[in-house]
Amino acid sequence: MVYYPQIKIAPSILAADYSKLAEELIDVEKRGVDLMHIDIMDGHFVPNITIGPGIVRTIKKVTSLPLDVHLMIEDPYKYIPEFIDSGADIINFHVEVFLEDTGLNIKNLVKTYQSVKGIRTALTINPPTKVECFREILSTIDLDFILIMSVNPGFGGQSFINDVLDKVRILREDLQFKGDIQIDGGINASTAESAVEAGCNILVAGTYIFGASDRTEAINSLKNVKRRKQ
Ligand code: DX5
Ligand code: ZN
């Protein structure tokens, strides 16, 4: 049977109250989450702008949890060194950046992947993008972390797109991918169950955790999602 790694919870701080960000981070950390998911948006790759490396550096001082930095930016290669220097523990960038009219620019993707030195790297795929590009990627680089977007990136609070779970099944079953599969967008206790059933093991949740009247209950409801049989 395929082995699916342990379930981890990554609150997306996009849904936190930025006027008291330090308190918000400490609050979810003490309630037992595993990673801090930080959404970086440049207003080009997605139609929204969030924060840059300076704030990531500040966040690093507040939490001891690994920082999972999700780069929704047009030029990850240019900014990766700054985010690593700011304290990122995981750098997450999108395959769409390398999709050209002629197909996937694997050379540039590999160059960007190799520029992430000393920390983990994840590759992210948007809902409309076909998962088949991972055949070439997985046969070229030793990737052990994939992020499946379950909403179109740019904003929190959107509804989960169930069809993306087919990609997870293809990764697990056809491509025999045994690393971490993270899912991001519209996660709550019910969508998390379907995602874990399909083979995801890292759950990003913004609105569901930060907007909950009882955050501990929300976090536990994700942690207790039934794991797929091994
Ligand atoms: C969307 C971001 C997500 C988002 C998730 O572009 O990548 O991390 O904040 O938010 P919810 O959980 O509210 O869908
Ligand atoms: Zn994200």
Side-chain angles (χ1 to χ4, degrees):
M1 266 301 183
V2 181
Y3 170 68
Y4 297 125
Q6 199 198 342
I7 292 184
K8 290 191 174 154
I9 311 300
S12 163
I13 69 163
L14 192 62
D17 181 344
Y18 274 67
S19 70
K20 47 174 184 171
L21 187 56
E23 278 170 54
E24 292 278 79
L25 300 179
I26 293 164
D27 182 69
V28 289
E29 180 169 352
K30 74 167 195 266
R31 292 171 197 269
V33 298
D34 301 287
L35 308 168
M36 287 295 175
H37 184 85
I38 305 175
D39 289 304
I40 310 292
M41 305 185 187
D42 67 353
H44 294 278
F45 184 75
V46 287
N48 196 3
I49 299 176
T50 56
I51 58 171
I55 305 289
V56 174
R57 196 179 293 278
T58 308
I59 291 171
K60 189 74 180 175
K61 291 187 199 152
V62 174
T63 176
S64 56
L65 291 178
L67 304 187
D68 173 25
V69 175
H70 179 190
L71 298 179
M72 285 161 276
I73 64 176
E74 231 170 41
D75 193 353
Y77 183 77
K78 181 174 172 188
Y79 292 99
I80 280 170
E82 267 188 81
F83 282 105
I84 294 179
D85 192 54
S86 304
D89 295 280
I90 298 160
I91 288 281
N92 215 313
F93 61 91
H94 278 252
V95 296
E96 289 78 15
V97 167
F98 308 96
L99 284 176
E100 299 174 354
D101 293 344
T102 48
L104 185 69
N105 186 332
I106 191 81
K107 195 167 154 260
N108 281 353
L109 187 151
V110 170
K111 185 175 107 176
T112 305
Y113 176 79
Q114 288 173 343
S115 76
V116 186
K117 296 203 167 61
I119 62 169
R120 283 192 85 188
T121 317
L123 278 182
T124 307
I125 180 167
N126 280 340
T129 307
K130 298 215 178 326
V131 75
E132 277 59 38
C133 62
F134 274 98
R135 275 182 210 283
E136 187 178 4
I137 294 169
L138 292 172
S139 64
T140 312
I141 58 175
D142 200 13
L143 183 70
D144 67 352
F145 198 166
I146 295 173
L147 167 55
I148 304 286
M149 287 307 299
S150 40
V151 297
N152 288 306
F155 302 92
Q158 303 182 73
S159 298
F160 187 80
I161 301 171
N162 205 58
D163 287 355
V164 304
L165 296 181
D166 289 341
K167 294 182 197 179
V168 179
R169 294 186 193 100
I170 291 172
L171 285 169
R172 290 299 192 201
E173 284 154 29
D174 298 355
L175 302 182
Q176 288 287 303
F177 181 74
K178 296 191 172 47
D180 287 309
I181 301 187
Q182 184 175 40
I183 190 143
D184 182 6
I187 288 293
N188 55 40
S190 147
T191 56
E193 190 161 329
S194 315
V196 169
E197 171 61 30
C200 297
N201 68 296
I202 303 183
L203 305 170
V204 176
T207 310
Y208 183 64
I209 292 177
F210 285 102
S213 53
D214 184 337
R215 289 178 175 174
T216 304
E217 193 179 285
I219 291 164
N220 287 341
S221 74
L222 298 178
K223 281 187 172 174
N224 295 333
V225 158
K226 194 163 39 68
R227 290 181 67 184
R228 185 176 164 143
K229 59 180 176 294
Q230 292 174 17

